[in-house]
Amino acid sequence: MSDTSSDAERIMVVDDTPENLTLLNDMLRHGGYQVFALPSGEMALRAAAKNPPDLILLDINMPGLNGYEVCKRLKADEHLAEIPVIFLSAYNETEHKITAFQAGGVDYITKPFQSEEVEARVRIHLKLRQLQRELHEQNLNLESLVAQRTRELEEAYERLRRLDHVKSDFLTMISHEMRTPLNGILGLAQMAMDLAPESAERTELWEMYEITRRRVDRLLDDAETLNSLDSTRDHTQLSRISLGEAFHEAELMAAPSRVLADFPSGFASICVLGEYSLLRRVLEALIQLAACFTSAGNTVNVAGTLEQDRVRLDFALDNLQLSEEKAVGFFEIDSLARSSSLAEPLALAPVVAHRIITLFRGDVRFIRQDA
């Protein structure tokens, strides 16, 4: 007989026939299992509650509680329900087997049993039990991992939300607080210009001053607009506005750029979803952007088409001077390609235009035509 270790799998054998208990006890101990042999169902339930086994071999026809009732009580206990129960019985009729499986049994061995069959079925169901435990542990680990990742994502989202709030506050502060000292500096510069005598040099400096002043004002306006767009992105209400009206006003605002529009009949009367002042600002920025990349100076050619339920405006560029890679990231706020391109004087205006178009569920991008 083989010795059994303390970590060997535990099998409970329940049978009111002493000869069967002895035979099964010797057989299973020889296989290396810990065996608990009990002669009644009542004793089996009490013992299982104190020290749950890994598997139970259960006789059906016993005095007092029969095997069916014992199995039902085991399955009704959440701490014992997962223990596999193999029924032992001299009954070979199908109805008895069905009743056994309905009671919660996983297998059925008919007496007189063969040791090889008992050992094989015990081994199979213990292996299945082990696999069930491993699967349960893996599920618990997975649930724990998912919960941990969820907490990490929630914490990361909260950090991003706080950082976004800080960024928003910073941009608001910059756009507001910088205006006062800048107005003072620009005012002093204008006073100095006024005191200077008329000359070609003064005229040149005045033009440089005006360009710089406009760029500073526009940069602060664009920064404030970007901030407001990010904070109200999910709450902006779009309405139907006249494309032609917004485009015409954008032409006037984009002067001295001259626009040559090729629009089909009725195109200008089309209404689009958006917000009027923002759409006008987008169109103005796109006209100015196109002028930067057009060799004809301030003359911009634009064609309009209607594709299903979407409006498309194509600005003809013949002096883009951007690689395809740089063109892709051109509208990002930190784009070095934009800040070092011919569109550098526009500062953040292209970024603002892109954000607004995205808010209107549209897109702005450079498209290279095949030669």
Side-chain angles (χ1 to χ4, degrees):
M1 183 179 297
S2 301
D3 294 333
T4 57
S5 62
S6 59
D7 60 349
E9 291 167 303
R10 303 184 305 277
I11 299 177
M12 179 181 290
V13 180
V14 186
D15 198 313
D16 65 326
T17 304
E19 293 80 3
N20 289 338
L21 283 180
T22 300
L23 177 61
L24 291 168
N25 180 71
D26 293 345
M27 178 197 312
L28 296 170
R29 285 184 179 275
H30 183 76
Y33 302 107
Q34 293 187 61
V35 183
F36 306 89
L38 300 170
S40 73
E42 292 87 348
M43 294 177 64
L45 290 173
R46 290 194 296 270
K50 292 181 180 180
N51 187 15
D54 297 303
L55 182 143
I56 298 175
L57 291 172
L58 180 60
D59 184 30
I60 291 179
N61 190 17
M62 296 184 296
L65 290 178
N66 62 31
Y68 298 141
E69 186 60 32
V70 172
C71 188
K72 289 179 181 179
R73 293 194 184 186
L74 288 170
K75 299 304 174 183
D77 188 328
E78 62 179 4
H79 301 294
L80 307 175
E82 299 300 322
I83 301 173
V85 176
I86 300 177
F87 280 104
L88 305 171
S89 178
Y91 300 128
N92 195 29
E93 292 80 5
T94 301
E95 61 184 86
H96 293 290
K97 297 179 181 179
I98 292 175
T99 303
F101 290 124
Q102 289 175 340
V106 298
D107 210 338
Y108 192 101
I109 300 175
T110 304
K111 298 178 182 179
F113 42 76
Q114 301 295 320
S115 60
E116 293 82 0
E117 179 185 9
V118 174
E119 290 175 358
R121 300 202 182 190
V122 165
R123 188 164 53 250
I124 289 172
H125 288 290
L126 285 174
K127 181 62 177 178
L128 290 175
R129 173 65 171 150
Q130 179 61 30
L131 292 174
Q132 288 176 339
R133 286 172 173 167
E134 292 176 0
L135 179 61
H136 179 67
E137 291 177 0
Q138 290 177 359
N139 287 338
L140 290 178
N141 292 336
L142 181 60
E143 291 176 1
S144 176
L145 182 61
V146 169
Q148 178 183 347
R149 292 292 183 266
T150 301
R151 287 194 300 271
E152 291 174 355
L153 287 173
E154 290 175 347
E155 292 170 359
Y157 173 78
E158 180 60 24
R159 287 195 296 271
L160 287 174
R161 192 190 65 80
R162 290 197 297 268
L163 287 173
D164 187 66
H165 186 68
V166 170
K167 181 209 71 172
S168 177
D169 289 345
F170 176 76
L171 288 176
T172 300
M173 179 194 70
I174 289 295
S175 60
H176 284 85
E177 298 299 326
M178 286 190 67
R179 290 184 189 273
T180 300
L182 280 173
N183 286 336
I185 293 172
L186 294 173
L188 289 174
Q190 185 169 348
M191 289 176 60
M193 289 289 183
D194 292 339
L195 294 174
E198 292 288 344
S199 65
E201 184 179 10
R202 178 187 180 281
T203 301
E204 183 179 354
L205 290 174
W206 179 261
E207 291 176 354
M208 292 175 59
Y209 164 78
E210 281 295 313
I211 292 173
T212 301
R213 182 185 61 79
R214 287 195 295 269
R215 288 190 62 182
V216 170
D217 285 341
R218 184 165 190 170
L219 181 61
L220 292 176
D221 287 343
D222 288 342
E224 189 171 358
T225 300
L226 284 175
N227 183 42
S228 64
L229 288 175
D230 286 339
S231 61
T232 61
R233 179 181 305 164
D234 298 329
H235 308 287
T236 301
Q237 297 295 323
L238 305 183
S239 59
R240 293 176 61 82
I241 56 180
S242 169
L243 176 63
E245 184 179 344
F247 193 89
H248 177 67
E249 186 174 343
E251 285 185 78
L252 299 177
M253 298 296 294
S257 298
R258 186 168 66 96
V259 179
L260 298 179
D262 180 17
F263 294 160
S265 177
F267 186 81
S269 63
I270 292 174
C271 288
V272 296
L273 284 177
E275 199 278 320
Y276 186 84
S277 62
L278 293 179
L279 181 59
R280 193 273 306 156
R281 188 168 182 171
V282 167
L283 296 172
E284 177 189 348
L286 293 181
I287 292 171
Q288 294 174 332
L289 179 61
C292 292
F293 294 123
T294 302
S295 58
N298 288 327
T299 301
V300 175
N301 290 276
V302 57
T305 54
L306 183 62
E307 299 178 349
Q308 296 181 347
D309 59 344
R310 297 176 70 86
V311 171
R312 173 169 173 166
L313 296 176
D314 289 305
F315 293 85
L317 312 179
D318 60 4
N319 192 30
L320 185 57
Q321 298 182 1
L322 288 175
S323 67
E324 187 171 346
E325 180 182 358
K326 291 180 178 179
V328 170
F330 183 87
F331 295 100
E332 297 297 329
I333 194 170
D334 57 350
S335 171
L336 294 177
R338 185 186 66 258
S339 61
S340 60
S341 73
L342 296 173
E344 185 272 338
L346 298 181
L348 293 175
V351 179
V352 174
H354 183 269
R355 293 283 181 89
I356 294 173
I357 286 295
T358 302
L359 190 67
F360 292 171
R361 300 162 194 159
D363 186 27
V364 180
R365 64 183 184 274
F366 293 111
I367 301 177
R368 293 185 178 274
Q369 300 293 334
D370 295 334

